[in-house]
Each structure stands twice: as structure tokens, then as C-alpha cells.
Amino acid sequence: MSAELANIGWFFGVVAALALLFAAGLKLPVRIGSTSRVVTAVLVVGAALTVAILANVALFRHDAYLDLTREKAFTPSAEARDLVLALKEPIDVAYFYQKQNPGARALTTMLSQLERQNPNFHVQLIDADQSPALANSLGVRTYNSAVLRAGDRRIEVVTTDDREIALGLLRLMRQREMVVCFAAGHGEYDIDNFEFHTHFEGAQSHHHDASGLAVVQMEQHGIGRLRRALEKLGLVARKVSFATGQAIPDDCAVLVEANPRTAYSPKESELLRRYLERGGSAMVLVEPDYVLDDSIAAVLARAGVKIGDGVIVDPRDHYFTDEQMIAVSRYGTHPVTRGLSLSFYPGARPLETVAAADVRVVPLATSSTESYIISDRLGKRVEPETGPPAARIIVLASEGRITEAAKPFRLIVAGDADFVSNSFFPYLGNSDVVLAGIAWLTREERAPTMKPPVEVLPTVTLTGAQMRGIFIVTVLLMPGLVALAGVAMWWRRR
Amino acid sequence: MKTLRILFAKELNAILASPIGYTVSAVFLLVLGYTFSLTLFTTKVANLQYILHQMYVLSILLVPVLTMRSFAEERRSETLELLLTAPVGELSIVLAKYAATLTLVLGMFAASLLYALILDRYGEPDWGPIYAGYLALMLHASLLVAVGLLMSSLTENQVVAAALSIGTFLMLWFADSVSYLLPPPFDSVAINLSLIGHFKPMVSGSVFLSDVGYFVTASMLALFLATWGLAQR
């Protein structure tokens, strides 16, 4: 802030100095010394131009900046700021930008602001057109490339977005490869599938599970979009199958079980229990119709979680007209839920917390207090089946120790899986929920999510009469009044 | 200061008594109002960025019409010599003409504030970029009027003065497009000479003080040269 004030001081100083110089210039004689009038004129004009150019160079080098947009579109994101603030080792950023690109110019401003946050963050802003040799020496071949260096590690990011720089920093600081393992072997969502479809909402509501197949036959959604987002965060996505009896690999920073369709065997449940005992992190996403094996239910119960049956119906908080598509805007207090916006869960089963020693369970997302549960999703009967309406847990986080001797585990369970599928992942806050969840599970709470800041254009709704009124005032009345004033003036002076 | 005030009142009266100011203002508001209403009805977006850019372009074309008379007419009718021999400084004469013309241009711009009020009435516009946009327009107008006066002070032909002004503005508008042809540091100079390069960020709500400085220093340079040129007579 003090640097900003100093630069504002520079601005007024430079303008005042220029005014004084010009005032002094007006006192110059018609001929300076023995020179002719023409030579004097050339000298004075040349000197004035030089002084004005130098003033602009000084202002450019001591620039101050104000972001007046409501969304602070030209101010570094909170994620980028937090990440830079947390830097413990020196990072050098050389940004080769193109001056004609306003986005790149905005990013130079943001990088300069970030540099002031932490002395470990050094920024070098380089005009790519003026320093091609320097760009070549660093292997930069594209405009608006940032070369991030820490020791002998190096990453190049081509961007005009500060979040991409933040993600680059995250990848640079990560000392080892971080692997997110996706469980396979039970018909789970495929991470190589990028298919998605739009949805129709009919009289029998909205279905994405096996019962839905009775209505419309379609391929299951994939979760390729989630995988891409993780890879953009610098994480490695890999499928693992432990149905063969092999242990869940130790290099799995997180195990994601997304929408299993067939039951676990007791041996597989035991492998999952051992993984959590070793201090593993897991995310379990199950759909309403999935029947849990007793063995896996027991493992989850040891982690403080019980997965209920049926489907939540929320007459108050739902997305569009589908009461089974639960919309959540208020979240439990947890590192995962910081700054989350509205998310929605198409067809969710209720979760419950159960008492477990050395385990802390926090509900992350719940339905409204008017929600109830039904079991017959396709039937006509929609009245509550489980007592009076009440808030139901949809997503929860659990952490602690499976046994006294075990290492601390982290677990996120959701009673819905398709909110992360390709069809729903990019919308509203869904991607934020799952990416923030994975960041917590990998113990990288500061990791920024990849959702870009969305500029919401303020819109107006006008009736026909209002449009006519605006047209008459702006096109006819205003120019007409001015023209009339002109005619009146001419008439008076005629 | 009193001399300046008297000269300013005289210049402003002259502008208000002339049909040029009313004609230019009416045309300006007609084109602007038409664009504003059609853009609003089509896009339904409550921001003024498009209109502010339109005002930028229109002012480049119309300000020379307002400034072309200021010195050129006085030179043609030989009243400039009379004015220069009066007990008033050249700086006061230039500043008075500058302030009077700028008042008219800013008055035209102020009329467009009605559009912002309409947006506020029917929507929730982001006021930050609107404030910054009007600041950019004021600075832009200041530069155009100063350069227009300088050009008018160089000739006694009004059409030549207007043509010189428009030519200069157009060159400044597109100055950055030739930067890739120039060696350093001239490429940077070309980029930083660009009118639109300094105008555009401000209209989007991103205010760099160096952009403000460009308009202020360039206006001061033009006013200095106009004053110094008159003093040499």
C-alpha cells in the first residue's frame, strides 16, 4: 500500500514538474543565442516532446493501479494471493508478455501486486517483442508465457490468467507426483469417458440411476471432465482395481470410488479399511439405488458414516422444477466449504453420522428442513416415508483414526455421484465442491480450484412500453431539445 | 485570473451563440441515443462500455469541428492580432478557448449520463467501470481539444485545421499497429502513443495512473506548443 501511495505521489510530482518546465519554456526568447527562429522552434518543440516522453516513462515505471470493477476482475484471485503468501522458498517468475494484449497487461499488474505479498516471489516482466534473445534463452516460443523457476525445477505456463500462474506455482512447489486413484472393477464412472447429455424433466421427475434406465436407455455419464480438471491442477489420475486382492497402492494420495454398480466383497472392504488405517484419504460417492455390502458399511461406520436408503425430496431448495435435484447454498463450516457457491445434487440418498472413537465428522452439504425421503422413485406415491420433514445430510467429511494405532485418515462421502459426472460437473459450484474436497484429501487446502472467475453481465428486463419510452427519450427528445435550443438561438440572433 | 474568467465567458458565449455547437451536439446525441437504445434492446446488458467506445469515436470526428474555428477564424478575420496586442497573456487566451470548448464537449458527454440513469432504473449496472469510463472520456476530450486548438493555431483555414486534427487523432488512434515494424525503443513509443491503448483499460474499470498521465501530459504538451507558437508571433 505504501508503494502504491508513493507511486501516486510520483504521479503528481511528475505532472507538477512538467507544468513548471512548460511554464519556464514559455519565457524562452524567440531566438536562442545566435540561432535562427526556425532552429529555435525546432529545438523548443523537440525539447518539449522529449520532456513529455520522459514524464510518461517515469509514470509508467512508477505506475499505480485501481481496479474499479465490482467483481475485481483485474485483481489477483484470493487463491493466487494465498498461495503466494504461503511460499517458503524463492520462486522466480519471468513473464514474457505482449503489450498489445490487454489481458496480458492486466496480468502484469496482478503479478506486480502479488510480488508485494511475499519477498520470496520475484517477478520479471519482459516485453516479448523487445527481448526475443532472452525469450529464446529460456526456451519461450509463445507470447504471454510465464517461466516459473524454483531451484533447478522449472515450469512454463502460457496464460493471461493469474489462476493459471497459481496452479503453475502449486505444481512447481510439489516435491513429488500426486496421484488420484479412481477405483475400477465395479462399473464405476469412467475417467476416460467425456460423454455428457442434456436432460429432460418429465412428470416422473429426474433419474440418473438404474431405475432411470427403465425410462430411457442411455450410456452412463463419464467423469472425464473431473479428470481433466485434476490434471490441470497438476495431479495424476489413474485407475486402480483392488478386486484382485492387491493392496491399494501407497502412492495413491486419494482413492476415489465414484458410483460403484456392483457390491464389494468382504476382502475388498478389508483392503479399503487397511488403506484408511495407513493414513489414506478416500472419497466415496454412491447413488441412491446402490446396495452396500455389510462389510463396506462396517468400514464406513468405523469412520463415523452411515449411508441411508431412499431418495431425498426437497420441496424448498431444488434446482428448477425437480424436487429431487437438491440445491445447496449453505454449507457446514469446514476447509472444504470455504467460499463455495450454490451446488446441486441430482437424486441424492441421505447420510447419517454415527458415533466413532477418535473420529470427527462434519456435514458439508445438507438439504433444507422441509425435505423428506421416498423410496419409490418411479411410483406415484411421493409422500414422506420417514417421519416429519427434516434436513438431510448429502455430503460429509470425516477424519480421525480407524484404530488407536492407525495413522489419521481423511474421508469424504456423498449420497450422490452424478453431481461430478460430465453432465453436471461444470455447472454452478459442483466442480468447486469436488475439487475443494480432493484438495483437502490431498492435504493441500490452499490449492486453487480450476473454475475460472465468471463475469456475470448485469442484465435488464424491459417491457415493450419501457422500450418505447427509452427510445423516445434518447433518440427523439434529447437531440430534439438541443436542436430546438439551436434554432431558438439562431432566431434570437437573426 | 480575472482576465482568464472574462476571456472564458467571452469564448463560451461565442460557442453558445454559434449554430455549430448545437448542430454537433444534436448529431452526437442522436447517433448515441440510437445506438444506446438499440444495443440495450438487443443485448439487454446493463453496461455502457459499447456506448463509451462510441463516444470515443464520435468525439474524434466531432471535436475537430468545434476547435477548427478557434484560432483559424480569428486569424482569417484578423482579430487575432488585435487580441494578442491586448493586455492579456497568450496563455490566458489559449486556456480560455480550451476551457470553453472543453465545457461544451463535457456538456455533450454529461447528457449521455441519462443512459446510465436508465440502466440504474431498470437494472443493476457495475458503476465502477462507468465512473472510470467517464474519467477516460474527460481525459480523452481534454487531449482532443488541446490538440485541436494547436492545429487551429497553425493555420488560418478552418478546413485545414479540422483535417490536421482528424489526421493527428487517427494516427494516434492506430499508433500501436505499426509497433512491430519499428526497432526498440521506438516500438514502445509507438505502443504508448496509442490513444485506444490508454483509453480501453479505463473503460473496462482498470485504471492505470500511467494512462491518466498520458492524457494529462499530452494535453499539457499541446497547450504549451499552442501558447508558445502564439507567443512567437
Side-chain angles (χ1 to χ4, degrees):
Chain A
M1 195 60 198
S2 58
E4 205 82 341
L5 282 175
N7 286 349
I8 293 171
W10 257 95
F11 174 82
F12 288 108
V14 167
V15 171
L18 197 64
L20 284 173
L21 275 173
F22 282 157
L26 290 176
K27 293 189 169 36
L28 285 173
V30 177
R31 293 171 59 180
I32 300 171
S34 58
T35 57
S36 69
R37 286 179 70 127
V38 175
V39 173
T40 303
V42 170
L43 285 175
V44 170
V45 171
L49 274 171
T50 308
V51 166
I53 288 171
L54 289 177
N56 276 280
V57 170
L59 292 175
F60 191 77
R61 293 200 171 175
H62 298 272
D63 212 352
Y65 176 72
L66 282 173
D67 184 353
L68 296 181
T69 57
R70 189 188 289 154
E71 308 291 336
K72 298 291 166 216
F74 302 102
T75 303
S77 62
E79 293 98 329
R81 270 204 316 271
D82 290 348
L83 208 62
V84 169
L85 271 172
L87 288 179
K88 297 220 165 23
E89 61 172 316
I91 304 275
D92 290 303
V93 179
Y95 186 49
F96 293 85
Y97 70 106
Q98 193 186 24
K99 277 186 180 170
Q100 289 95 326
N101 186 324
R105 198 177 159 191
L107 182 56
T108 61
T109 313
M110 290 197 251
L111 285 173
S112 304
Q113 292 178 45
L114 288 172
E115 190 177 25
R116 292 174 196 158
Q117 305 276 325
N118 188 334
N120 278 329
F121 191 63
H122 309 291
V123 176
Q124 198 183 358
L125 302 171
I126 304 156
D127 183 344
D129 291 322
Q130 283 190 1
S131 310
L134 185 54
N136 275 336
S137 71
L138 286 170
V140 173
R141 305 215 176 280
T142 316
Y143 277 122
N144 309 324
S145 291
V147 178
L148 283 60
R149 283 168 295 175
D152 56 354
R153 304 190 303 281
R154 173 186 187 282
I155 279 179
E156 184 179 338
V157 184
V158 181
T159 186
T160 54
D161 183 352
D162 65 304
R163 285 173 184 241
E164 299 272 0
I165 300 282
L167 293 179
L169 279 178
L170 195 70
R171 293 211 301 273
L172 191 71
M173 289 187 306
R174 204 173 275 145
Q175 300 287 343
R176 65 184 175 88
E177 193 177 65
M178 195 83 85
V179 183
V180 178
C181 296
F182 286 84
H186 290 282
E188 289 92 344
Y189 280 143
D190 189 357
I191 58 171
D192 297 321
N193 180 332
F194 290 90
E195 282 183 23
F196 59 93
H197 58 261
T198 51
H199 296 79
F200 293 100
E201 291 174 52
Q204 288 184 324
S205 195
H206 189 111
H207 304 284
H208 293 88
D209 48 30
S211 58
L213 295 180
V215 182
V216 180
Q217 178 71 42
M218 59 174 60
E219 292 299 315
Q220 185 172 248
H221 311 215
I223 48 171
R225 283 177 160 174
L226 168 61
R227 176 206 172 160
R228 282 269 165 81
L230 292 173
E231 285 172 348
K232 200 142 196 193
L233 284 161
L235 301 167
V236 177
R238 196 172 77 205
K239 290 181 197 172
V240 293
S241 173
F242 42 101
T244 54
Q246 289 180 332
I248 298 168
D250 279 335
D251 68 344
C252 287
V254 182
L255 174 74
V256 179
E257 175 56 279
N259 194 18
R261 312 304 307 152
T262 56
Y264 266 52
S265 70
K267 186 149 191 173
E268 286 173 278
S269 303
E270 175 62 15
L271 290 173
L272 178 64
R273 192 187 66 77
R274 281 192 208 155
Y275 173 70
L276 294 176
E277 217 171 53
R278 298 201 305 271
S281 297
M283 177 177 275
V284 178
L285 313 169
V286 286
E287 280 290 299
D289 62 323
Y290 179 62
V291 181
L292 272 89
D293 178 72
D294 289 344
S295 58
I296 195 166
V299 174
L300 293 175
R302 187 62 200 88
V305 184
K306 183 188 173 197
I307 297 179
D309 293 321
V311 182
I312 305 170
V313 178
D314 193 335
R316 196 179 78 190
D317 293 341
H318 53 265
Y319 194 42
F320 286 113
T321 57
D322 191 341
E323 294 186 354
Q324 290 183 22
M325 197 180 285
I326 316 298
V328 175
S329 58
R330 289 180 296 278
Y331 300 90
T333 308
H334 193 270
V336 171
T337 56
R338 268 188 314 206
L340 284 183
S341 57
L342 181 78
S343 57
F344 64 98
Y345 304 86
R349 66 197 297 174
L351 305 180
E352 293 168 36
T353 62
V354 292
D358 293 333
V359 173
R360 190 175 80 97
V361 185
V362 179
L364 301 182
T366 50
S367 57
S368 82
T369 51
E370 289 174 27
S371 58
Y372 56 90
I373 297 164
I374 58 167
S375 59
D376 184 14
R377 300 186 66 188
L378 290 176
K380 302 288 180 200
R381 200 160 52 83
V382 291
E383 69 270 21
E385 292 179 353
T386 54
R392 317 285 172 173
I393 302 172
I394 302 168
V395 186
L396 57 74
S398 154
E399 63 180 319
R401 294 171 197 275
I402 292 283
T403 59
E404 243 177 57
K407 290 182 180 169
F409 72 91
R410 283 187 174 184
L411 177 69
I412 287 179
V413 182
D416 181 43
D418 49 12
F419 80 101
V420 303
S421 69
N422 293 335
S423 291
F424 300 109
F425 176 75
Y427 301 110
L428 301 180
N430 284 14
S431 58
D432 291 337
V433 172
V434 65
L435 293 178
I438 285 178
W440 180 70
L441 292 171
T442 57
R443 292 169 165 81
E444 281 190 339
E445 282 92 335
R446 287 185 184 279
T449 59
M450 266 320 295
K451 194 169 178 180
V454 180
E455 189 189 359
V456 182
L457 293 173
T459 53
V460 290
T461 312
L462 297 168
T463 63
Q466 286 167 340
M467 281 158 72
R468 266 194 305 279
I470 290 172
F471 188 83
I472 289 168
V473 170
T474 57
V475 182
L476 303 178
L477 201 63
M478 269 213 314
L481 282 175
V482 175
L484 211 63
V487 171
M489 177 60 70
W490 168 79
W491 185 262
R492 205 161 63 91
R493 291 176 58 87
R494 183 171 59 98
Chain B
M1 205 62 191
K2 191 182 169 190
T3 317
L4 183 63
R5 207 166 49 237
I6 293 167
L7 282 171
F8 169 71
K10 169 188 163 291
E11 292 296 334
L12 196 59
N13 277 332
I15 286 173
L16 293 177
S18 148
I20 291 180
Y22 295 98
T23 311
V24 167
S25 302
V27 169
F28 179 81
L29 290 174
L30 179 71
V31 175
L32 219 55
Y34 190 73
T35 317
F36 167 75
S37 50
L38 288 195
T39 310
L40 181 65
F41 302 159
T42 314
T43 65
K44 297 185 169 36
V45 173
N47 78 35
L48 279 183
Q49 278 197 32
Y50 187 80
I51 292 302
L52 293 168
H53 276 108
Q54 179 105 353
M55 287 162 81
Y56 163 86
V57 177
L58 281 176
S59 54
I60 281 181
L61 299 174
L62 296 180
V63 167
V65 179
L66 297 174
T67 54
M68 66 184 187
R69 294 180 74 245
S70 48
F71 287 109
E73 174 67 10
E74 299 232 31
R75 286 176 88 157
R76 195 189 58 78
S77 57
E78 295 177 355
T79 51
L80 185 61
E81 304 301 331
L82 201 65
L83 194 60
L84 289 174
T85 50
V88 288
E90 292 85 2
L91 185 61
S92 297
I93 297 169
V94 171
L95 286 181
K97 286 182 183 291
Y98 166 76
T101 314
L102 191 59
T103 302
L104 175 68
V105 178
L106 295 185
M108 278 160 46
F109 290 168
S112 72
L113 283 170
L114 179 70
Y115 309 147
L117 296 177
I118 289 172
L119 294 186
D120 193 44
R121 171 78 177 77
Y122 297 109
E124 288 182 1
D126 186 356
W127 281 95
I130 294 177
Y131 294 142
Y134 274 98
L135 170 70
L137 274 178
M138 284 162 64
L139 292 165
H140 176 64
S142 162
L143 173 59
L144 297 188
V145 172
V147 172
L149 287 181
L150 170 63
M151 296 306 164
S152 181
S153 72
L154 297 177
T155 174
E156 62 179 38
N157 187 315
Q158 293 184 36
V159 178
V160 172
L164 282 174
S165 299
I166 292 180
T168 308
F169 299 153
L170 292 180
M171 292 299 288
L172 286 176
W173 186 355
F174 301 116
D176 57 341
S177 55
V178 295
S179 65
Y180 74 98
L181 297 171
L182 301 171
F186 299 105
D187 57 345
S188 282
V189 172
I191 287 169
N192 284 295
L193 273 177
S194 165
L195 266 180
I196 193 76
H198 294 283
F199 182 82
K200 214 171 173 181
M202 259 194 273
V203 173
S204 63
S206 182
V207 181
F208 292 85
L209 225 46
S210 60
D211 288 339
V212 176
Y214 164 80
F215 289 108
V216 172
T217 56
S219 304
M220 286 166 73
L221 174 68
L223 290 175
F224 164 76
L225 292 176
T227 311
W228 188 77
L230 279 183
Q232 300 316 299
R233 292 171 64 89

